[in-house]
Amino acid sequence: MKFLIVAALLVATVSAKSVKITSLTDCGGPAAPISVSGSILTDPVPVPGQMNMDLTTVAAIAATASDGLQFRKVTTRTTDNYQVPCFNGISGTCTLDLCEALTTYPEYICSIFPPGVPCSCPIAAGTYAAPDAFVKFDAEWLAINGGVNGDYVTRTEIVASLGTANELVLGCVDLAYTLVAA
């Protein structure tokens, strides 16, 4: 499931000619049932282009379509605290159903899954290594208000019971990066 989080974070970047990743941090805490580690192998990333990654995800829980798990992404330009709106249903600041996103946005998500792991729900609990993971960046992304150049932070959380008194964050990843229009 963390593969989905990372994919969502990476597609959160909008309207740039290149992307420089400066940080990938697991923010779920030691008791979180989903954790991620890894590294970004392409820095900066040309847009359009693709970012290559080496990811390891540990999921102590399974995800099925009936679970109603969602991921909540917030993308902010740090220089002026501008919250990037949701573009194309998945880029920027968006909230999406986990299993629906796998079928609706496979071009943004499935390349994050390791070979042999279906890009669909259910997602079994386990440890997943994806040394050849990548995310594509399209040239068609919308321009950001105030210009694209700047530093950004995207926080993506996998959440159960979103918006209820029983809301539970199962996993979290922070991505800090720089966008530069060429």
Side-chain angles (χ1 to χ4, degrees), residues 6 32 37 46 49 65 68 70 75-77 79 86 91 94 99 105 109 115 121 125 130 136 169-170 174:
V6 177
S37 61
Q70 296 193 338
T75 300
T76 305
R77 183 174 50 220
T79 53
C86 185
S91 298
C94 306
C99 292
Y105 305 105
I109 299 170
C121 281
K136 295 178 183 176
V169 176
L170 303 173
D174 283 333

Side-chain angles (χ1 to χ4, degrees), residues 60-142:
I61 59 170
T64 67
S66 64
D67 291 333
L69 298 180
Q70 296 193 338
F71 67 88
R72 173 175 47 206
K73 301 186 312 91
V74 177
T75 300
T76 305
R77 183 174 50 220
T78 59
T79 53
D80 59 0
N81 207 30
Y82 173 72
Q83 191 173 84
V84 178
C86 185
F87 297 122
N88 303 324
I90 194 165
S91 298
T93 299
C94 306
T95 300
L96 298 126
D97 178 90
L98 176 78
C99 292
E100 278 183 36
L102 294 174
T103 57
T104 306
Y105 305 105
E107 68 275 23
Y108 293 105
I109 299 170
C110 292
S111 61
I112 297 297
F113 281 70
V117 175
C119 184
S120 61
C121 281
I123 302 171
T127 299
Y128 301 102
D132 298 320
F134 67 90
V135 173
K136 295 178 183 176
F137 291 85
D138 297 334
E140 300 170 341
W141 293 336
L142 301 172

